[in-house]
Amino acid sequence: MNKNKDKIRKLRISKKNSEEALSTHRKLLFAFSHEIRNPLNSIIGNLDLVLFKDMSDELREMVENIRLCSEMLVQYINSTLDVGKNEIGALDIKPTPISIHEAILFIWKITSQLMKSKGIQASVKVSKKIPPVLSLDVHRFIQILMNLIGNSIKFTESGSINIKVMWIEKPQVDPECFDPQPFDEINEGVFEKNEHVSFLNETIGNYTEKKYYSIDLRDKDFHIQHLQNPTHLTKGILKIIIKDTGCGMKQSDVENLFKQFHQFTDDHLKRKVGTGLGLYITKEIIEKMNGKVEAYSKEGKGSAFVFCIPTVYTPL
């Protein structure tokens, strides 16, 4: 009996020491992230000023790439800090009227440069049914997409990353919003077919046009045209699919992907990759927005992230 009591006592002491060590490491991580964010923001501000100067096209492209990479770093740091906020219940969502199309273009300008530098083919398709102004937290929306697209860039060495932005006329997210599913033996054919036919023409009034507009890496200065305001209050689901041809994941990794500090093992590089915080906080933010995110993957084929967020058209 005394031996058992001694073992229990030692286990309790060990658990307490581990919890204290973890708490110290977290505090150090969050403090470091907070301190490094300020000089990074200063770097971005100064780079913006430099871009107003006359310079060669080659030098301008280099400065723009530095700025874009700095922007990505800020997003990663923000995700780390948000983990701390979430643990104390201070992670807030502040929806305001935003142009969803301008937000997509902002994210595209940042992420497309990173894809281009790796030689990855990429495109984004945006449904013309999406109202031009939606009620969303623009900071959180950008954070979500930067984390998910950044994750795809990280694990895709060749091939493509394709993003699709859709509008589902439903008041709330349900399982049907995620059908058909990619990398599913039953639904894969349907999913691929939907990807193929998404640009079929549809008749609107007296004219015919494509259902989506598309941007790819060849589009340097893309301008959105022919967007019309809905004639009535419109509620719906903003659905976004990010599909890549990366290394893919085991099912065990998919199941643990959104857990805090879970690191995906890249078998090709033989090392753990990432901090294990970006996808965790992404899921937390999406759920705080009354949405849901799912991950799908197949080893050697790639991965796909699908998230759905309920929102409403908000005229300015």
Side-chain angles (χ1 to χ4, degrees):
M1 289 294 291
N2 288 334
K3 288 183 178 181
N4 289 336
K5 286 182 179 180
D6 189 50
K7 285 182 180 180
I8 292 171
R9 184 181 62 82
K10 288 180 179 179
L11 285 172
R12 286 175 177 170
I13 292 172
S14 177
K15 181 183 178 183
K16 182 180 179 182
N17 290 338
S18 297
E19 289 174 347
E20 288 176 352
L22 180 60
S23 176
T24 300
H25 290 157
R26 282 179 173 172
K27 288 177 181 178
L28 181 62
L29 176 65
F30 298 144
F32 175 77
S33 298
H34 180 75
E35 291 302 321
I36 202 173
R37 184 171 60 174
N38 291 332
L40 260 177
N41 283 327
S42 178
I43 290 170
I44 291 172
N46 280 282
L47 288 171
D48 285 337
L49 294 175
V50 171
L51 288 169
F52 280 110
K53 306 291 184 181
D54 291 331
M55 64 184 80
S56 67
D57 291 341
E58 182 181 3
L59 183 58
R60 181 171 295 277
E61 185 176 354
M62 291 170 65
V63 174
E64 285 177 345
N65 285 337
I66 294 170
R67 190 202 179 284
L68 295 174
C69 289
S70 299
E71 190 74 48
M72 288 288 288
L73 281 173
V74 169
Q75 293 299 326
Y76 292 142
I77 291 167
N78 286 340
S79 291
T80 302
L81 293 172
D82 282 337
V83 171
K85 290 181 181 179
N86 190 55
E87 289 181 349
I88 62 173
L91 183 65
D92 56 350
I93 304 296
K94 298 177 180 178
T96 58
I98 71 163
S99 167
I100 195 70
H101 307 278
E102 289 181 7
I104 293 292
L105 285 178
F106 172 79
I107 295 160
W108 177 250
K109 286 180 180 179
I110 296 174
T111 56
S112 62
Q113 289 295 323
L114 297 174
M115 298 179 205
K116 197 173 183 179
S117 67
K118 291 187 72 173
I120 302 168
Q121 295 299 310
S123 69
V124 55
K125 303 174 186 177
V126 183
S127 171
K128 292 184 177 181
K129 289 185 177 180
I130 299 174
V133 181
L134 294 174
S135 179
L136 282 173
D137 186 321
V138 65
H139 165 68
R140 298 302 181 190
F141 180 69
I142 290 172
Q143 185 178 2
I144 290 166
L145 277 175
M146 293 284 275
N147 280 339
L148 293 179
I149 297 173
N151 190 79
S152 287
I153 295 172
K154 191 186 302 179
F155 295 107
T156 303
E157 296 301 324
S158 62
S160 63
I161 296 175
N162 296 301
I163 303 160
K164 189 173 181 181
V165 188
M166 307 166 65
W167 182 253
I168 304 173
E169 293 183 352
K170 279 189 174 185
Q172 60 186 20
V173 178
D174 59 32
E176 289 183 359
C177 292
F178 292 87
D179 291 333
Q181 298 175 6
F183 305 109
D184 179 85
E185 292 182 1
I186 297 174
N187 286 314
E188 180 66 11
V190 179
F191 180 87
E192 295 296 338
K193 181 180 178 182
N194 282 5
E195 290 294 291
H196 179 69
V197 303
S198 64
F199 280 85
L200 285 179
N201 294 338
E202 68 175 355
T203 301
I204 304 175
N206 295 321
Y207 65 96
T208 301
E209 67 173 20
K210 295 187 181 297
K211 295 180 181 180
Y212 290 75
Y213 66 78
S214 177
I215 317 169
D216 62 32
L217 291 180
R218 294 168 294 181
D219 296 319
K220 291 184 179 179
D221 298 303
F222 186 87
H223 299 285
I224 302 166
Q225 299 175 345
H226 308 305
L227 297 177
Q228 297 180 347
N229 292 336
T231 57
H232 60 282
L233 189 66
T234 303
K235 290 184 178 180
I237 306 295
L238 190 64
K239 177 180 179 178
I240 300 183
I241 302 170
I242 300 148
K243 189 171 184 287
D244 64 57
T245 59
C247 57
M249 294 177 282
K250 301 173 184 176
Q251 185 57 36
S252 57
D253 277 315
V254 175
E255 292 170 357
N256 293 304
L257 200 58
F258 295 107
K259 292 182 179 178
Q260 191 174 162
F261 295 113
H262 174 76
Q263 291 177 293
F264 170 71
T265 302
D266 188 329
D267 292 332
H268 175 68
L269 298 174
K270 303 298 181 183
R271 64 181 175 90
K272 297 280 187 180
V273 183
T275 61
L277 294 175
L279 293 181
Y280 161 76
I281 201 61
T282 295
K283 180 175 181 289
E284 293 295 308
I285 291 170
I286 290 172
E287 290 182 351
K288 282 185 177 292
M289 297 171 81
N290 298 315
K292 189 177 180 183
V293 60
E294 296 286 357
Y296 308 90
S297 190
K298 192 171 185 178
E299 281 192 280
K301 295 290 184 180
S303 302
F305 291 90
V306 183
F307 71 92
C308 297
I309 299 173
T311 184
V312 61
Y313 166 59
T314 307
L316 293 174

